[in-house]
Amino acid sequence: MIKTINLQKIFKTEEVETWALNNVSIEVKQGEFVAIMGPSGCGKSTLLNIINGRESADSGNITFRSGLKVGMLDQMPEFSPEATVAETCLTGDTSILKVISQYEQAMDSGDAKLISQASQAMDAAGAWNHEDMMRQMLTQLSIFDLNAKMGTLSGGQRKRVAIARMLLEKPDLLILDEPTNHLDIAIVEWLEQYLTRQRVTLLMVTHDRYFLDRVCNKIIEIDHQAIFTYNGNYDYYLRRRSERIEALEGELAKVKNTLRREQEW
């Protein structure tokens, strides 16, 4: 299976000089739906930000598949409060919107060669029906007023606009930070069904056990700065993690018994 991301020996310290990530090595393959698990403060969101380029590691190597297009959904998406829903989805520094903008500029120039090149780029990006797809996806996400300003929307509505904007970019890798926060059950089920139909790779942090169990096929756990990988859903992860902890407790009991006997001797 083709590797989508390969992280080797990632180190990252926080401002208080404690390790957020210590010698972390992770491999995510094309088509895998991966959840990162671990206690609060273990570095899950930091790891997502490093992969997305928002933060830099102190040391280590990150390798991406050639031409990989990454989409990021933040836990608390931020938008200009005065921008409308449509403006939010149709403006920004994304590859597909750049292609559309270049096509519009080519049309304004009247240069036949530029128009031809821009048209080919629109074909390659599948950008001709971008606005229609936006309307359709927002409707499916129960966002009906495209002229509503982002500052007037609830947290759940802003999250749905953020989901639509990310999916419209047609990324190969989706990075999701608590994707189901502020979403009702119907929207969570829509997102689950949409993701399982797409040929994408998924990397996420979430505490939603239902979503984890239904969507993910691989769990990566960060526990005391060590990495444990489980190739299965959330239920499988819980069973195997329990077995691992029982085995560790058994080994610890043996060590204590050996130490006690040696002390008595």
Side-chain angles (χ1 to χ4, degrees), residues 33 51 66 104 114 127:
F33 281 21
I51 293 171
S66 178
E104 291 172 346
L114 288 178

Side-chain angles (χ1 to χ4, degrees), residues 3-252:
K3 295 178 184 178
T4 294
I5 315 171
N6 190 23
L7 289 81
Q8 291 294 325
K9 299 182 178 180
I10 299 298
F11 286 85
K12 176 71 175 181
T13 55
E14 298 292 358
E15 293 181 1
V16 291
E17 295 301 321
T18 58
W19 290 105
L21 298 169
N22 187 7
N23 198 28
V24 170
S25 294
I26 291 175
E27 181 179 280
V28 178
K29 297 177 181 176
Q30 184 174 315
E32 288 184 326
F33 281 21
V34 182
I36 300 175
M37 305 290 294
S40 178
C42 73
K44 300 185 297 294
S45 293
T46 299
L47 184 60
L48 294 188
N49 285 331
I50 289 173
I51 293 171
N52 194 42
R54 293 181 177 177
E55 295 187 41
S56 58
D58 296 336
S59 63
N61 297 307
I62 303 178
T63 306
F64 294 92
R65 192 189 78 214
S66 178
L68 186 73
K69 186 188 295 184
V70 180
M72 175 79 182
L73 179 67
D74 291 309
Q75 184 176 162
M76 299 288 288
E78 295 183 2
F79 300 107
S80 169
E82 294 301 313
T84 67
V85 170
E87 288 169 344
T88 299
C89 290
L90 294 175
T91 58
D93 189 26
T94 67
S95 59
I96 197 164
L97 292 176
K98 287 179 181 177
V99 169
I100 294 171
S101 176
Q102 288 167 0
Y103 174 77
E104 291 172 346
Q105 292 173 14
M107 291 297 294
D108 290 340
S109 73
D111 186 312
K113 184 177 180 180
L114 288 178
I115 293 172
S116 175
Q117 291 173 344
S119 297
Q120 291 174 17
M122 290 283 286
D123 289 335
W128 292 109
N129 60 345
H130 186 73
E131 190 167 341
D132 290 337
M133 290 176 61
M134 175 198 71
R135 294 177 184 276
Q136 180 181 357
M137 186 170 291
L138 286 171
T139 298
Q140 292 172 346
L141 289 165
S142 299
I143 301 292
F144 304 107
D145 185 0
L146 273 63
N147 293 316
K149 292 189 175 182
M150 295 300 294
T152 67
L153 303 185
S154 67
Q157 289 171 324
R158 289 196 297 273
K159 191 68 168 278
R160 282 177 265 157
V161 173
I163 290 171
R165 176 173 169 159
M166 175 190 66
L167 295 179
L168 285 166
E169 177 64 10
K170 302 176 183 177
D172 306 304
L173 169 66
L174 299 177
I175 301 177
L176 312 180
D177 192 356
E178 298 293 353
T180 63
N181 280 11
H182 306 296
L183 300 181
D184 58 36
I185 293 175
I187 298 300
V188 171
E189 290 178 347
W190 178 90
L191 181 60
E192 171 198 329
Q193 292 168 8
Y194 183 92
L195 292 174
T196 53
R197 292 195 305 266
Q198 305 304 305
R199 298 181 62 183
V200 296
T201 304
L202 177 64
L203 183 62
M204 72 174 178
V205 169
T206 182
H207 291 90
D208 188 331
R209 295 185 177 187
Y210 171 84
F211 195 70
L212 276 170
D213 204 45
R214 301 271 292 185
V215 173
C216 289
N217 54 30
K218 182 175 180 178
I219 308 290
I220 294 174
E221 180 186 16
I222 303 176
D223 185 17
H224 293 88
Q225 300 179 351
I227 295 292
F228 301 92
T229 301
Y230 305 85
N231 292 307
N233 63 6
Y234 183 69
D235 183 62
Y236 175 83
Y237 154 73
L238 289 178
R239 287 187 281 109
R240 292 303 302 271
R241 181 176 187 272
S242 178
E243 293 170 2
R244 176 174 66 82
I245 292 174
E246 287 177 6
L248 285 173
E249 289 174 345
E251 289 297 321
L252 181 59

Side-chain angles (χ1 to χ4, degrees), residues 247-262:
L248 285 173
E249 289 174 345
E251 289 297 321
L252 181 59
K254 289 180 182 178
V255 170
K256 286 182 177 179
N257 286 334
T258 300
L259 179 61
R260 177 179 54 79
R261 287 195 300 268
E262 290 181 350

